[in-house]
Amino acid sequence: MKQSDIRYYYRYYGHLTKVKLMSLMEYRFDIIASCLGTYGYTLMILIFIDVIFRNVNTVAGWNRDEILMLFAMSQFCFYFFYTFFWSIWSQVPDAIRTGDLDKLLLKPISPLFQLVTQEFTLIEAAPSMILPFALTALVWNRLDLHPTLFQVSATAIALLAGAAISVLVQLNLALLSFWVSDTKPLQKSFAELEDLRKYPLAIYPESVRWLVVTLVPIGLVAYAPTYLLVKGWSIVWFALPLATLLFFVLMTMFIWRYGTRAYTSASS
Amino acid sequence: MIMRYWHLAKVAFQEVTVYPARVIGILGVRMMTWLSFLVLWRVIYSERELVGTYTLADMVTYYSLALIITELTRVWTVTRQFADFVHKGTLSMWLLKPVRISPALFTTFLAERACYTIFPTLLFVGAIFFKPALFQMPHHLFYFFVSLILSVLLAHLMCSLVGIAAFWLTQTNGLRNVFARLMEVLGGMIFPIELLPEGIRKNLLDFLPFQFTQFIPISIYMGKLGDRSISELLMLQLLWVGVFAVFYWLVWEKGIKKYEAVGH
């Protein structure tokens, strides 16, 4: 990709943000309420974790602060998806089903890029994103973590890979709209399933653990970076998210390629 | 008149069952979430026998019933529908139909939810039959069903109220999110609220309606009533239904006068 291309995409993104900000100001109350909803969710999980740890000291070898770190990492992955790729959830299936993809195919910019970046929610997500950052800072202190630069880098890479896996799984489900009439319930169900990523993998029986690491890789998303940060270096938890990410990138390319061939415009 | 609602329910049922793979997929995911809770609690119970007053069998029963009741009280589609009707102006079409919109939406909601409730209910009954040791046996089955009906009504009224806030707010997604979170935690969907500190329960939760949507029916089933009697709980539940019904009616009457049928 040339530098001018990057500038072009950057300007396109900037314009999207401006338009989004203007439309958001129309529904200020809704933004505040959405924010309260996400605070409510975080509070709910914190209460649940508190209820558990008032009864036990560790869950599968993970203490309260480590579980809180796991939850914060899972929140980072969610906000990555919510901030930059929310249209995968809200617009991609409809665009394919109703034929709105037509107009994106005609524009001089990658249709898949347009499709996944139509909705930019950084402004809505920003107030809520304070929570995982605050939680990480708090737990970091309490766990008295002193990671090496190598460990921090490995954690960051695994976290990015995990977040990208989450996005790509959702995108693959959304792209099934090329063949299936309504993928939203499937996407919604997968989003509900993502709640499982805030528990340590060791709680699951062996067969389920295998399932949530490979076939439905939600177990990897937050667990791998948290493990690298709080438990130390592990080649398995570093390499596995990267390998899974590669698999899902290839899968997305495959589905997009065959999906656009199957696309029959407005009547699809 | 009843036949009209019956036909609406039939159509709603068919609309859901026309995509069986979707229903199976959704139920599969719900079952996995349910199993994950059980797996987590199993790990906790490996270290102790009681959490609060709950044994492992109590907890399995609690989450199994919570799964069924959650399906029955998952009213957010109604909230979204209401908001969409107002936002897009399609409420006008409903107002012209020879049915009353609120009971019509309630009927279609029940039919739709029936598709998602049948399977977990059969599974629960089957599991009790074949593995009774895993579960807590029902204590007050009749009162449980009475409480269940009231909880469905209450959840429907509460969520419909959030939906008709669209007459004033146009967009209610945010409000819906707040309310959904409140119902999940304070209703007892995520964990039995009895495990919360007593101060929170006595000073906050007892004055809110949320626990009557999930926790109270399950408590009646399990006979975990604490210092309260069944009749007291059912009366309180009925009172909340009454309060919300009146409030709903008032808000609807005021809102419909404000409705402008935008776009239609």
Side-chain angles (χ1 to χ4, degrees), chain B residues 196-216:
Chain B
L196 285 171
E198 202 179 339
I200 297 180
R201 274 188 290 131
K202 297 261 185 227
N203 299 321
L204 179 70
L205 297 192
D206 282 356
F207 298 99
L208 295 171
F210 299 105
Q211 60 175 324
F212 291 97
T213 59
Q214 294 252 334
F215 179 70
I216 296 298

Side-chain angles (χ1 to χ4, degrees), chain B residues 241-259:
Chain B
V241 171
V243 167
F244 273 94
V246 171
F247 195 44
Y248 173 84
W249 179 74
L250 288 173
V251 176
W252 173 262
E253 287 295 312
K254 222 167 168 57
I256 201 73
K257 285 178 189 150
K258 210 179 170 324
Y259 176 59

Side-chain angles (χ1 to χ4, degrees), chain A residues 27 29-30 33-34 36-37 41 44 47-48 51-52 54-56 58 181-182 185 189 192-193 196 199 203, chain B residues 19 22 26 29-30 36 39-40 44 47-48 51 169 171-175 178 181 184-185 191 195-197:
Chain A
Y27 305 110
F29 179 82
D30 197 55
S34 286
L36 286 176
Y41 173 77
M44 173 186 102
I47 291 172
F48 184 52
V51 163
I52 289 171
R54 241 182 294 126
N55 291 289
V56 286
T58 57
S181 64
D182 187 7
S189 301
E192 281 180 30
L193 209 57
L196 307 190
Y199 305 127
I203 67 164
Chain B
Y19 302 115
R22 192 174 77 173
I26 291 172
V29 168
R30 300 263 157 80
S36 75
V39 164
L40 182 68
I44 294 163
E47 289 182 26
R48 53 195 300 149
V51 173
L169 302 172
Q171 282 283 9
T172 57
N173 292 343
L175 196 62
V178 177
R181 298 287 96 87
E184 278 173 18
V185 191
F191 57 87
L195 300 181
L196 285 171

Side-chain angles (χ1 to χ4, degrees), chain B residues 51-70:
Chain B
V51 173
T53 59
Y54 286 72
T55 61
L56 182 59
D58 289 338
M59 209 53 99
V60 173
T61 311
Y62 186 92
Y63 278 99
S64 306
L65 284 170
L67 174 76
I68 295 167
I69 300 179
T70 304

Side-chain angles (χ1 to χ4, degrees), chain A residues 94-249:
Chain A
D94 285 345
I96 294 171
R97 203 176 57 243
T98 60
D100 272 359
L101 182 61
D102 289 359
K103 63 182 181 207
L104 304 184
L105 290 169
L106 296 173
K107 287 183 186 169
I109 198 164
S110 156
L112 184 59
F113 179 78
Q114 290 178 73
L115 202 56
V116 298
T117 56
Q118 284 183 93
E119 200 156 344
F120 181 64
T121 57
L122 180 63
I123 302 141
E124 291 123 300
S128 313
M129 270 200 281
I130 297 167
L131 290 172
F133 278 108
L135 196 60
T136 307
L138 177 84
V139 175
W140 190 293
N141 263 335
R142 290 215 309 228
L143 285 170
D144 198 22
L145 293 174
H146 299 288
T148 59
L149 184 64
F150 174 73
Q151 205 182 341
V152 172
S153 312
T155 304
I157 292 169
L159 181 62
L160 265 176
I165 291 167
S166 253
V167 171
L168 289 175
V169 173
Q170 277 285 358
L171 179 58
N172 285 335
L173 290 174
L175 290 179
L176 291 179
S177 300
F178 282 119
W179 299 278
V180 181
S181 64
D182 187 7
T183 58
K184 270 193 181 159
L186 268 178
Q187 289 178 261
K188 205 173 164 196
S189 301
F190 181 76
E192 281 180 30
L193 209 57
E194 283 184 322
D195 264 0
L196 307 190
R197 66 189 178 197
K198 57 182 185 283
Y199 305 127
L201 280 178
I203 67 164
Y204 300 109
E206 198 68 44
S207 51
V208 180
R209 208 178 305 166
W210 179 85
L211 188 78
V212 294
V213 168
T214 54
L215 205 61
V216 195
I218 37 172
L220 269 183
V221 173
Y223 184 81
T226 314
Y227 190 96
L228 290 169
L229 186 65
V230 301
K231 302 277 186 193
W233 167 253
S234 152
I235 183 72
V236 174
W237 295 119
F238 181 71
L240 209 52
L242 295 178
T244 311
L245 177 62
L246 181 69
F247 171 76
F248 275 98
V249 168

